[in-house]
Each structure stands twice: as structure tokens, then as C-alpha cells.
Amino acid sequence: MTVEFEIDGQKFVALNGGPQFKFTEAVSFAVDCKTQEEVDMLGKNSLRAEKRACVAGLRTSMASHGRFTPTVLGEMLADKDPKKAGRVMTAMLKMKKIDIATLKKAYEQR
């Protein structure tokens, strides 16, 4: 029922939901990026880059979607201080392309 596979060092698990579950655009991959360079490179070299607000994304030929998310973004949004997390979210929603330096400035602002 499941298969584990790896693409360029990223591990995935896929589940066979049976014939009643068709492949749709609801399938999405999240790629964890450690640096701005990695976010930029993946966004530039994705199969078919999509420019949407605040997320570098891709759409494969099978219509699955993906996003390239810096690790630090998740850490900042999960901060126990709602003001810090809120500033990061506000900054991110204004972006067409994720900029880690700008997110960090918003996070550290007093």
C-alpha cells in the first residue's frame, strides 16, 4: 500500500489509496530549503515555475504542486511570541519570492 522513495536526497512516502482516489492537483510536495541560494536555485530550475505570492512553486507535468520553503520560515512562524510570528507572516504575504533576510528582519524587529 505504500512506497518510500528518495529524490535528490529528499525522502518521500506515497500511499496507494485505491481506484476511488484519483490523482488530482491536491497532491503537493514541500521541499525544505536551508539557504536563500537553495530557494532561488530550486525556484529557477523547477519543472515549470509558478510565480505566486510568497511561495516559490512548481507544477509538474502530472499536475502535482510543490513549494520551496526555507527551514527558518517554519521556525519563525512557530515562535511562541505571536508578535514575532505575526510580523514574519505579514512580511511573507507581501513577497512574490521568499527573501530570508527580510523575514529575519521582521522577526527580530522590536
Side-chain angles (χ1 to χ4, degrees):
M1 291 290 293
T2 64
V3 62
E4 294 182 25
F5 59 99
E6 188 173 311
I7 299 173
D8 197 25
Q10 178 73 41
K11 294 182 180 183
F12 297 90
V13 176
L15 171 68
N16 178 356
Q20 67 273 26
F21 297 104
K22 304 292 183 208
F23 190 84
T24 71
E25 291 187 10
V27 174
S28 178
F29 294 100
V31 179
D32 188 39
C33 301
K34 297 190 181 0
T35 66
Q36 183 70 51
E37 291 77 23
E38 194 173 11
V39 171
D40 295 344
M41 186 270 304
L42 289 171
K44 180 179 176 186
N45 296 319
S46 66
L47 298 175
R48 242 183 4 198
E50 291 187 346
K51 303 280 186 197
R52 286 190 254 168
C54 78
V55 178
L58 66 88
R59 185 174 176 147
T60 70
S61 58
M62 295 187 304
S64 62
H65 290 268
R67 63 189 181 281
F68 311 118
T69 309
T71 306
V72 70
L73 175 60
E75 294 167 357
M76 291 186 289
L77 290 174
D79 195 286
K80 293 181 188 211
D81 181 343
K83 289 181 182 180
K84 285 182 173 183
R87 288 192 305 266
V88 171
M89 178 63 78
T90 299
M92 181 190 70
L93 291 174
K94 294 176 183 175
M95 296 177 179
K96 292 270 188 221
K97 176 180 152 278
I98 293 290
D99 178 11
I100 295 173
T102 300
L103 294 174
K104 285 182 176 179
K105 274 186 191 176
Y107 180 78
E108 294 165 357
Q109 188 180 39
R110 301 243 179 244

